[in-house]
Amino acid sequence: MRTAYHHQLAELTVELSQMCGLANGAMRRATEALLEADLDATEEVIREHDRMVVMRARAEREAFALLALQQPVAGELRAVFSAIQLIADIERMGALAVHVAKIARREHPNQVLPEKVRACFADMAKVAIALGDSATQVLISHDPQQAARLREQDDAMDELYRQLFSVLLDDDWTDNIPVAVDAALLGRFYERFADHAVEVGRRVVFMVSGDLPAQDEISTY
Amino acid sequence: MRTAYHHQLAELTVELSQMCGLANGAMRRATEALLEADLDATEEVIREHDRMVVMRARAEREAFALLALQQPVAGELRAVFSAIQLIADIERMGALAVHVAKIARREHPNQVLPEKVRACFADMAKVAIALGDSATQVLISHDPQQAARLREQDDAMDELYRQLFSVLLDDDWTDNIPVAVDAALLGRFYERFADHAVEVGRRVVFMVSGDLPAQDEISTY
């Protein structure tokens, strides 16, 4: 009985990490869709999200069953408790990748972004995907140091997000309004993706230690 | 022992509803801040969010303690399970109100929004706050019909959100780019606020029936 229980808990942990890997792969492909106007990539991201929805429902059922049938305590209860919270964050990461892909699809075969913000988006994507990788790993390793570092990794995203808005709101911006609106929303999607990855780190710290690190302050955007 | 347990569970339910009422009050005040350039309202929304953060931490501790010490089953376990998920949604509703207030504060004493989208924002705010009210009530009533109706109420938001973007992306838009960028982001904040309220309805249906309604499809923005 206890063996089956530990097996189920280990399986839930692996599934969470797989979901996070799926969301991160989706953001990687969505970024290709965005920066290279790659139509196959957009379609793949949108189609693959169905898998995420199925995995989410399954992980929720499993977490519920663990609570109902096994009544975990202490560290194991913290693991299930955190899983219940993180399932939503991770699915949201996947949904944000779909948002990016859908904007790319709408503009295909044209580029969504003008030249002067493309490097900024390439950097934001790099940081977002590195955060997604760290989150995927830390869900398995449960290494509290690595988990805490996600927050520091996110500083680079905050800086890039500020840079993007300083370009967008600069008087020298000569592109039209639809382009600026898309760039602002896309910037927000990458920034939110990173925030959810940071939340994974925060919850893993709680899972391991029982202490939940403070959240960051809410920014202007 | 069981009496104390039912008292704790009832208290958690009330706290969730209070948090939702707090988030909704914040969105109401943030909308005054936005549409009437009311500086007191902006400061109040930003300051009051600290209460939300404290309430969130407390509700999480209580939900955890209920699982650890009382090992609820069936409908009561569904109530705690849903509470764990909804705490994050409700805190996010409050954070979105802070985002609205911070944009209003940055532009004070000027108006953020040009005349031609103000009516659309007034309508979006009305729908968002009505959804927030329904969510606050349904967290207490646990009425599955009322919970299911939140999704229908959200259709009006989707329509207003589309309208906003058709105005923003229209060639007749003559305001400058920073104004368009703010309007796009603010529109998204109201739309996301409504989505989280709909999620409250979805989870209350699960709490009562054990069945979780399907999520809506992901839109382009």
Side-chain angles (χ1 to χ4, degrees):
Chain A
M1 184 69 178
R2 298 312 280 178
T3 313
Y5 160 50
H6 285 116
H7 180 72
Q8 285 160 15
L9 190 57
E11 195 147 304
L12 179 62
T13 302
V14 169
E15 283 170 17
L16 267 191
S17 179
Q18 284 172 340
M19 283 174 67
C20 197
L22 191 67
N24 206 36
M27 195 46 120
R28 189 178 281 117
R29 289 291 276 157
T31 301
E32 288 166 13
L34 181 68
L35 296 179
E36 293 156 35
D38 178 340
L39 192 61
D40 288 344
T42 67
E43 297 294 351
E44 187 185 314
V45 171
I46 295 164
R47 200 174 51 236
E48 284 276 292
H49 192 69
D50 290 345
R51 267 179 66 202
M52 177 65 94
V53 173
V54 169
M55 286 174 85
R56 176 186 184 160
R58 182 177 162 191
E60 286 193 357
R61 277 197 308 276
E62 290 173 354
F64 189 85
L66 272 165
L67 291 178
L69 305 175
Q70 309 290 357
Q71 305 178 328
V73 293
E76 288 167 352
L77 178 56
R78 290 202 300 273
V80 181
F81 190 87
S82 303
I84 296 167
Q85 296 170 314
L86 287 179
I87 289 166
D89 284 284
I90 296 169
E91 199 239 36
R92 189 76 205 137
M93 288 166 76
L96 288 162
V98 173
H99 280 306
V100 172
K102 286 197 168 179
I103 291 184
R105 183 172 70 175
R106 192 196 57 208
E107 297 302 316
H108 185 84
N110 301 317
Q111 288 281 352
V112 179
L113 297 168
E115 191 54 37
K116 69 172 147 247
V117 293
R118 290 170 60 80
C120 184
F121 271 93
D123 289 343
M124 280 200 293
K126 215 166 147 184
V127 175
I129 291 162
L131 275 160
D133 269 338
S134 297
T136 304
Q137 286 164 24
V138 94
L139 282 164
I140 294 288
S141 72
H142 291 184
D143 174 347
Q145 270 86 36
Q146 191 185 13
R149 269 200 303 276
L150 274 128
R151 193 172 169 178
E152 295 159 30
Q153 276 182 271
D154 187 45
D155 291 344
M157 177 62 87
D158 293 341
E159 181 50 37
L160 288 164
Y161 192 61
R162 267 191 297 272
Q163 266 178 39
L164 172 67
F165 277 85
S166 74
V167 175
L168 280 185
L169 305 181
D170 192 280
D171 290 340
D172 290 344
W173 177 276
T174 50
D175 287 284
N176 59 19
I177 284 177
V179 172
V181 164
D182 275 341
L185 290 171
L186 286 164
R188 188 151 176 86
F189 298 152
Y190 282 98
E191 194 264 346
R192 290 296 301 151
F193 182 94
D195 283 346
H196 289 289
V198 171
E199 187 65 13
V200 171
R202 224 167 67 93
R203 296 289 165 186
V204 168
V205 170
F206 170 75
M207 210 184 276
V208 178
S209 68
D211 294 319
L212 187 64
Q215 277 176 296
D216 281 329
E217 282 223 358
I218 300 170
S219 62
T220 300
Y221 282 110
Chain B
M1 184 70 178
R2 299 311 279 176
T3 313
Y5 161 49
H6 285 116
H7 179 73
Q8 284 159 15
L9 190 57
E11 195 146 307
L12 179 62
T13 302
V14 169
E15 282 170 15
L16 267 191
S17 179
Q18 284 172 341
M19 283 173 68
C20 197
L22 190 68
N24 206 36
M27 195 47 121
R28 188 178 283 117
R29 289 291 275 158
T31 301
E32 288 166 12
L34 181 68
L35 296 179
E36 292 156 36
D38 178 340
L39 192 61
D40 288 345
T42 66
E43 297 295 351
E44 186 185 315
V45 171
I46 296 164
R47 199 174 51 235
E48 284 278 291
H49 193 68
D50 290 346
R51 266 179 68 202
M52 177 65 95
V53 173
V54 170
M55 286 175 85
R56 175 185 186 164
R58 180 177 163 190
E60 286 193 357
R61 275 197 309 276
E62 289 172 354
F64 189 85
L66 273 165
L67 291 177
L69 305 175
Q70 309 290 356
Q71 305 180 329
V73 293
E76 289 166 352
L77 178 56
R78 289 202 301 274
V80 181
F81 190 87
S82 303
I84 296 167
Q85 295 169 314
L86 287 179
I87 288 166
D89 284 284
I90 295 168
E91 198 238 35
R92 189 78 203 134
M93 289 167 75
L96 288 161
V98 174
H99 280 306
V100 172
K102 285 198 167 178
I103 291 184
R105 184 172 68 174
R106 192 196 57 209
E107 296 303 315
H108 185 83
N110 300 318
Q111 287 281 352
V112 179
L113 297 169
E115 191 53 37
K116 68 172 149 247
V117 293
R118 290 170 60 82
C120 184
F121 272 93
D123 288 343
M124 280 200 294
K126 215 166 146 183
V127 174
I129 291 162
L131 276 160
D133 269 338
S134 298
T136 304
Q137 286 165 25
V138 93
L139 282 164
I140 295 289
S141 72
H142 291 182
D143 174 347
Q145 270 86 36
Q146 191 186 12
R149 270 201 302 277
L150 273 128
R151 193 173 169 176
E152 294 160 30
Q153 277 181 271
D154 187 46
D155 291 345
M157 178 61 87
D158 293 341
E159 181 50 36
L160 287 164
Y161 192 61
R162 268 191 296 272
Q163 266 178 38
L164 172 67
F165 276 84
S166 74
V167 175
L168 280 185
L169 305 180
D170 192 280
D171 290 340
D172 291 343
W173 177 278
T174 50
D175 287 283
N176 58 20
I177 283 177
V179 172
V181 164
D182 275 340
L185 290 171
L186 285 163
R188 187 151 178 87
F189 298 152
Y190 282 98
E191 195 264 346
R192 291 295 301 151
F193 182 94
D195 282 347
H196 288 289
V198 171
E199 187 65 13
V200 171
R202 223 166 69 91
R203 295 289 165 184
V204 168
V205 170
F206 170 75
M207 211 183 276
V208 178
S209 69
D211 294 320
L212 187 65
Q215 277 176 295
D216 282 329
E217 282 223 358
I218 299 170
S219 63
T220 301
Y221 283 110

